Amino acid sequence: MNYAGQVLNLFAATLLLLTFAMLSQRRILSLIYLFTLHGATLVAATLVVAVVTHETHLYFSAALTLALKVILIPWILHKLILRLNVKWDVEPLINVPTTMLIGIVLVIIAFNLALPIAQLSSSIARGTLGIALACILLSFMMMITRSKAVPQVIGFLAMENGLFFAATAATYGMPMIVELGIALDILVGILILGVFMFQIRERFDNLDIHNLESLKED
């Protein structure tokens, strides 16, 4: 049990480091690769909890995450980037050093918010709840500090990873029907966003969402 806890803490720390790496990343393809590793780390952490707790539904959750977050969605995003012929770097609204400083503050806030909640949980992963909350806040920050559509989509997906990890850390995951519903919503959302990106690119010749502010009703 203690060994499993240490392995879980290692995966949780890796998840946090990958979230920081995505927050500071300026290359779009590298961002997609980091998101793939982010999903793979989440799968590994979920499997550790499943093995220790013998919660069968966590194996299905890990398999679903592997299929969607590690294989299918990164493949869709990669094909979308190639199809749109996107060659630009990620353009943050604030510079990277400032972003990282704000990120560190968010991590401190997350750990302080999660501490009383973790004390109420009996899960073996309760010690990683602060990291899960930090990943959620950092991913949300990545969404609001990017001007391009694709990095914002990846930020949203990374935030969903954090929410799933938080559910696993606190209560050994969500009911399977809820996870299937969320997975379907995410997949449909990615397909809709793909169409949306094509429309932005066709209309403005780039994917900067600030161009939408120029649209006025007649």
Side-chain angles (χ1 to χ4, degrees), residues 105-125:
V105 173
L106 290 177
V107 171
I108 296 173
I109 293 173
F111 273 85
N112 281 279
L113 288 176
L115 183 59
I117 302 175
Q119 292 175 344
L120 299 176
S121 175
S122 59
S123 168
I124 63 164

Side-chain angles (χ1 to χ4, degrees), residues 86-105:
V86 175
K87 298 179 180 179
W88 37 259
D89 293 341
V90 177
E91 298 178 3
L93 299 178
I94 56 180
N95 59 56
V96 173
T98 303
T99 300
M100 300 304 288
L101 287 175
I102 297 174
I104 292 172
V105 173

